[in-house]
Amino acid sequence: MKAALKDAKGTKLVLLGTAAGPVPGRPRKMTSHVMFSNGAAYVLDCGLGVTDRFAETGIPFSAPRSIFITHHHFDHNVEYGPLLGWVQGMPLTVRAYGPPPLKQMTSDYISSMRTTINFWAEDLKMKPLETIDVIEVPDAGPVMQDDNVKVSSVVVEHPPVKPALGYRFDFHDRSIAFSGDTTPVEAVAQMAKGADVLVHEAMYVPAVESYVKDQVAKGRPVSVEAFMAHMKADHSPVEDVGRIAAEAGVKTLVLSHLTPAVDSISDDVWRAPAAKYFKGEIIVARDLMVV
Ligand SMILES: [Zn+2]
Ligand SMILES: [Zn+2]
């Protein structure tokens, strides 16, 4: 994987974590991605495991320019603070983009670590992390642009989380769109129009109910009814994902943020419902896969 990235021509997407939900201890980590273009890295979402997975790519910690958060669920933001990675030497110029109250969350995190940051700064004569630049994204529209990429956002449907965002990254050589967590929505098809890659969350409904029952039996503090109601109101069955990819006319569809995130469902089973509608390439995401 490191060789694939090192020898790569052009922009690469690495799927760092591909599991849905805030459940630790699985082979797939919680959701996170990095895009690597011209030596600059752009991180999207920071589920538990993002820092280790990032390190496994071999991309240096000096590379991240920007971090993007789709929405404030644990499986997308719980490791945002730790990834700021002052200890690892991430540049203090890194910027973060995401829904409010990301500014407050960032300063609260840095405050909570102030004692440790100051011990470290004193010990190693380093410049302490005071703050980073945070740009809140409350709505759909242009988010940022630099010499590598133009980024825009779209509002998706993931109640009660408001706003929950999808993002599109237009690099010079390819465009990559992300649904974030959402029910199937037209806004994602519009945003992803003509993109090279659409990374869409995907739920395989027949396996979800048995998974949920199993989780509840193992003592997860939630009822089966409440959990299933949440799944249906908040996530996208994989056939609908195929429909959206077909409407958007993307080249490649990546099924990720898999629900349930169990390895007993084969790639063919994941692909088939989407392939009824979408005739392009369908990739079933795995952690550290390079697209
Ligand atoms: Zn999620
Ligand atoms: Zn979510």
Side-chain angles (χ1 to χ4, degrees):
M1 214 257 343
K2 287 184 183 178
L5 269 183
K6 200 159 71 71
D7 301 336
K9 303 261 184 297
T11 303
K12 289 290 171 195
L13 162 66
V14 189
L15 306 163
L16 298 177
T18 60
V23 184
R26 298 172 295 184
R28 291 174 192 273
K29 300 296 183 197
M30 296 174 201
T31 294
S32 59
H33 317 78
V34 61
M35 287 154 277
F36 192 52
S37 184
N38 289 325
Y42 304 83
V43 174
L44 177 72
D45 278 341
C46 297
L48 192 65
V50 62
T51 314
D52 275 346
R53 283 286 191 243
F54 186 94
E56 287 174 84
T57 67
I59 298 171
F61 275 88
S62 56
R65 277 197 197 169
S66 307
I67 300 170
F68 300 83
I69 301 290
T70 58
H71 68 291
H72 294 307
H73 266 155
F74 284 130
D75 56 319
H76 299 259
N77 72 7
V78 72
E79 206 170 310
Y80 161 67
L83 179 69
L84 291 180
W86 178 76
V87 173
Q88 284 281 357
M90 189 178 283
L92 302 185
T93 52
V94 71
R95 291 186 164 184
Y97 299 83
L102 191 62
K103 273 188 187 160
Q104 187 67 48
M105 291 166 68
T106 305
S107 63
D108 285 353
Y109 175 75
I110 293 171
S111 301
S112 76
M113 296 305 287
R114 176 55 57 206
T115 304
T116 299
I117 289 170
N118 288 347
F119 282 146
W120 195 256
E122 182 188 337
D123 206 3
L124 298 181
K125 313 285 181 267
M126 288 167 75
K127 185 176 177 324
L129 173 61
E130 300 294 345
T131 185
I132 65 158
D133 239 350
V134 178
I135 297 92
E136 291 184 345
V137 185
D139 217 329
V143 172
M144 64 83 91
Q145 182 164 11
D146 66 12
D147 52 336
N148 280 324
V149 67
K150 190 172 83 181
V151 183
S152 55
S153 64
V154 68
V155 173
V156 295
E157 187 66 23
H158 192 51
V161 180
K162 280 195 176 24
L165 303 174
Y167 288 99
R168 175 173 174 139
F169 292 75
D170 285 292
F171 293 92
H172 297 302
D173 57 338
R174 67 196 305 218
S175 45
I176 306 170
F178 297 86
S179 68
D181 283 15
T182 184
T183 53
V185 288
E186 179 64 23
V188 169
Q190 291 304 322
M191 167 189 71
K193 272 271 187 270
D196 294 292
V197 180
L198 169 61
V199 181
H200 204 297
E201 75 133 271
M203 170 168 68
Y204 186 61
V205 176
V208 171
E209 195 162 281
S210 54
Y211 171 77
V212 168
K213 283 181 179 155
D214 180 62
Q215 287 289 305
V216 172
K218 284 178 178 156
R220 195 155 168 197
V222 61
S223 78
V224 173
E225 293 70 30
F227 203 119
M228 285 311 294
H230 160 80
M231 297 314 293
K232 286 174 184 161
D234 280 77
H235 295 290
S236 296
V238 66
E239 30 299 74
D240 292 323
V241 174
R243 246 187 283 257
I244 286 167
E247 187 186 338
V250 298
K251 291 197 186 90
T252 299
L253 169 62
V254 178
L255 304 175
S256 193
H257 192 276
L258 299 177
T259 310
V262 294
D263 285 337
S264 53
I265 304 171
S266 74
D267 286 3
D268 287 345
V269 168
W270 273 112
R271 255 187 224 111
K276 274 193 269 177
Y277 301 97
F278 179 66
K279 301 306 172 193
E281 180 187 29
I282 303 175
I283 293 173
V284 181
R286 289 196 185 281
D287 288 18
L288 294 173
M289 191 180 252
V290 180
V291 177

